[in-house]
Amino acid sequence: MKYHLAIDIGASSGRHIIGYVENGEIKLEEVYRFDNTQIISNGHECWDLDSLSKHIIAGLKAAADKGMVPETVGIDTWGVDYVLVDENGNRVGDAVAYRDKRTDGMPEYVESLIPFKDLYAITGIQKAFYNTIYQLAALKKEDPGQLEKADRILFIPDYLNYVLTGRMVNEYTDASTSSLVNARTKTWDKTLIERLGLPEKIFHPLTMPGSEVGGFTPEVREAVGYDAKVVLPACHDTGSAYLAVPARDDKAIYLSSGTWSIIGVENPQPITGKESLNANFSNEGGAWYRFRFLKNIMGLWMIQSIRRELNGVKYVEGKNNDETREALKSIKDYDSSRKYSFADLEMAARAADDVGVVLDVNKHRFLNPSSMIAEVTDEAAKLGRAPASVGELIQLVYRSLAENYASEARNLSDITGKTYTSLNIVGGGSQDRYLNALTAEATGLEVFAGPTEGTAIGNLIVQMIFSGEFTDLNEARKAIRK
């Protein structure tokens, strides 16, 4: 039996999932799960790379403890975030998180150097203030010395691969989210880098999914008790999730549902015209150069944040909960002694009355507020009525998410000129039957839910194709449908 290990790390948690093929079917077993929390460092919200590295090692050991030693390992994470390293492989500065406020004003600054229509025509990437291009512009203003000391940029999965193998490789799909990769040449765009005044030396060649990075370092081998080949999946989690969609035909819209919602379709070529620019759709690079024509929109982050606040949990250590406590005074049935589960929140939402307003869930105020409950209730009040119960609060968010999905599905049809008949939801959010039902109602499309572990499955099938269990993506997708 050949075992493969997908290390799938999201913005709030990570998991190690073993995969193998038995009688033509893909089998999965979760062997390790951990929280991914942020820290405050040097005045910024940052990823704790040391903690992530320790969890990766612990998960590798857990696989061996279960007698499922993997032959290959692949890591996927979110996009845009990075760390700089010097010529000795040491980190230069922190891995600042995309929700940090350092990029405030940076889109306008970059636009003064490169008009967005020109940037979009080259990269095909939607405007989002957290994109790597804006993060690097912010760093250049705040601490240019870091860029001078750096030898290369490593995105989060690149760095974690380096921890395991001692080899530095820049994977294509994750780099494509940066708004610095040319959509047509599929390489770093040197003209953009020069116009931004960034050091060209930090941008090393890009490597495609399906490539081998190398084996474990001696230190890792000693820690986990075995060696394995580290293989590049689509390291951007959405790239992996899209590979796992068992679409029944070419009239399917894909929705990767998790902390973020990513809605889109697959195209053989990028679409960078005026309509897609105005609708703010991205052309992210995928495995085997399949373009994911999509839009990153708000997802279950709002529900996750509200649940944390209801349960008195801080998302980022160092933030206080004063705004939450004040906002909760308007939620009449809130019980501070209770620990709310996601199932509790869904049941409360189903039983609640419709507040009668719809939020624009993609507003900046919902991205990283001190209190999500305060922002939601304040925005709803401005629109007509604030939620007065936990159920109304959650239902308001659910309905707003579903209406946003419907709006973007219509945009996809208008831009591509195609009529879509189904919506395929993958990822953790595919388990949320209430949100799925509201989405079917709002879009008017047939909704197919699953696989839940879509990102991990997409990660695994690249490893399986690398190892010869499947000949190509079509064969792997048939196994996923089975």
Side-chain angles (χ1 to χ4, degrees):
M1 185 75 68
K2 287 185 178 180
Y3 294 113
H4 309 278
L5 178 61
I7 303 174
D8 172 29
I9 308 176
S12 57
S13 66
R15 52 271 180 104
H16 290 55
I17 295 180
I18 286 285
Y20 57 97
V21 180
E22 186 174 75
N23 298 323
E25 292 187 12
I26 298 172
K27 304 289 187 178
L28 304 176
E29 182 169 340
E30 182 180 301
V31 296
Y32 188 77
R33 183 175 285 263
F34 58 94
D35 290 333
N36 182 16
T37 55
Q38 296 172 18
I39 57 175
I40 300 295
S41 179
N42 297 312
H44 294 294
E45 294 182 25
C46 301
W47 301 109
D48 190 343
L49 293 182
D50 292 332
S51 176
L52 286 177
S53 300
K54 289 175 182 176
H55 280 299
I56 286 174
I57 298 298
L60 290 169
K61 290 172 67 176
D65 291 344
K66 285 183 172 286
M68 307 175 88
V69 175
E71 294 190 11
T72 63
V73 174
I75 300 174
D76 67 77
T77 77
W78 61 97
V80 305
D81 287 343
Y82 67 89
V83 65
L84 300 175
V85 295
D86 63 21
E87 59 184 6
N88 297 315
N90 298 316
R91 295 200 303 255
V92 177
D94 297 309
V96 179
Y98 60 83
R99 286 192 173 93
D100 186 79
K101 299 185 185 300
R102 69 172 175 169
T103 53
D104 288 355
M106 286 302 104
E108 294 79 9
Y109 166 69
V110 170
E111 181 130 11
S112 72
L113 303 174
I114 308 165
F116 182 70
K117 64 181 179 62
D118 296 342
L119 179 63
Y120 186 82
I122 294 169
T123 68
I125 297 298
Q126 73 180 97
K127 182 185 285 188
F129 78 92
Y130 47 73
N131 285 351
T132 317
I133 190 171
Y134 304 128
Q135 294 196 41
L136 287 169
L139 180 63
K140 189 171 184 291
K141 276 182 170 286
E142 180 185 29
D143 190 355
Q146 287 191 31
L147 289 166
E148 293 170 7
K149 294 175 186 175
D151 182 63
R152 69 185 301 159
I153 184 171
L154 293 176
F155 289 82
I156 301 300
D158 300 336
Y159 179 79
L160 298 175
N161 284 330
Y162 168 57
V163 169
L164 290 183
T165 67
R167 293 193 61 202
M168 298 186 199
V169 173
N170 287 111
E171 188 271 338
Y172 165 69
T173 69
D174 215 64
S176 76
T177 67
S178 66
S179 206
L180 288 165
V181 172
N182 188 299
R184 288 172 175 78
T185 66
K186 306 170 185 72
T187 58
W188 299 113
D189 192 284
K190 294 183 178 180
T191 302
L192 292 178
I193 292 166
E194 182 180 336
R195 289 173 72 177
L196 290 165
L198 299 173
E200 188 179 328
K201 67 174 183 175
I202 69 173
F203 299 96
H204 291 241
L206 302 178
T207 304
M208 284 299 295
S211 303
E212 181 180 345
V213 182
F216 294 160
T217 65
E219 294 79 12
V220 173
R221 287 199 301 271
E222 182 178 356
V224 304
Y226 62 91
D227 196 9
K229 293 178 181 177
V230 176
V231 174
L232 295 179
C235 286
H236 185 218
D237 50 12
T238 310
S240 280
Y242 268 45
L243 292 177
V245 175
R248 288 149 180 80
D249 53 39
D250 64 355
K251 296 179 180 179
I253 293 174
Y254 300 176
L255 176 65
S256 177
S257 179
T259 300
W260 283 99
S261 292
I262 302 99
I263 190 169
V265 295
E266 284 186 316
N267 289 325
Q269 300 294 331
I271 300 175
T272 58
K274 185 177 180 180
E275 279 189 318
S276 60
L277 182 153
N278 290 339
N280 206 26
F281 270 75
S282 266
N283 297 265
E284 294 178 356
W288 303 289
Y289 295 125
R290 303 165 69 89
F291 284 93
R292 289 170 283 121
F293 185 62
L294 53 77
K295 191 170 184 178
N296 290 276
I297 54 179
M298 180 57 72
L300 293 172
W301 166 248
M302 293 179 75
I303 301 290
Q304 292 164 355
S305 298
I306 289 170
R307 177 174 174 261
R308 287 191 190 96
E309 292 174 33
L310 292 173
N311 292 337
V313 178
K314 297 177 183 178
Y315 178 58
V316 179
E317 194 59 41
K319 281 192 173 183
N320 66 61
N321 287 355
D322 291 344
E323 287 186 55
T324 299
R325 283 190 286 270
E326 187 64 29
L328 283 170
K329 291 178 181 178
S330 66
I331 307 299
K332 305 304 182 187
D333 61 346
Y334 169 63
D335 182 354
S336 61
S337 66
R338 180 179 176 182
K339 293 300 179 185
Y340 293 84
S341 68
F342 287 116
D344 292 335
L345 298 182
E346 180 184 333
M347 286 190 293
R350 286 178 181 272
D353 293 331
D354 185 353
V355 175
V357 300
V358 175
L359 306 176
D360 177 357
V361 293
N362 294 308
K363 277 195 170 182
H364 188 275
R365 69 184 304 176
F366 301 126
L367 184 73
N368 191 26
S370 297
S371 170
M372 186 67 75
I373 294 173
E375 297 298 329
V376 168
T377 54
D378 179 68
E379 183 73 6
K382 289 178 179 177
L383 293 171
R385 183 167 86 82
S389 69
V390 171
E392 288 185 353
L393 176 68
I394 300 300
Q395 190 198 80
L396 169 60
V397 174
Y398 271 141
R399 286 195 178 277
S400 299
L401 289 172
E403 290 297 334
N404 188 37
Y405 298 161
S407 174
E408 297 303 346
R410 290 190 292 270
N411 278 336
L412 275 169
S413 186
D414 290 344
I415 295 167
T416 63
K418 292 183 67 173
T419 298
Y420 297 102
T421 58
S422 66
L423 182 70
N424 289 249
I425 303 177
V426 298
S430 68
Q431 300 176 93
D432 197 319
R433 295 187 176 209
Y434 184 51
L435 179 56
N436 293 346
L438 291 174
T439 300
E441 180 183 312
T443 62
L445 300 174
E446 189 172 15
V447 169
F448 295 95
T452 301
E453 298 291 357
T455 304
I457 293 172
N459 180 327
L460 287 166
I461 62 175
V462 174
Q463 297 182 53
M464 291 169 176
I465 292 169
F466 171 86
S467 299
E469 272 117 323
F470 298 117
T471 56
D472 57 22
L473 180 59
N474 287 333
E475 185 181 3
R477 278 181 166 165
K478 287 178 183 177
I480 294 169
R481 281 195 292 273
K482 185 177 180 181

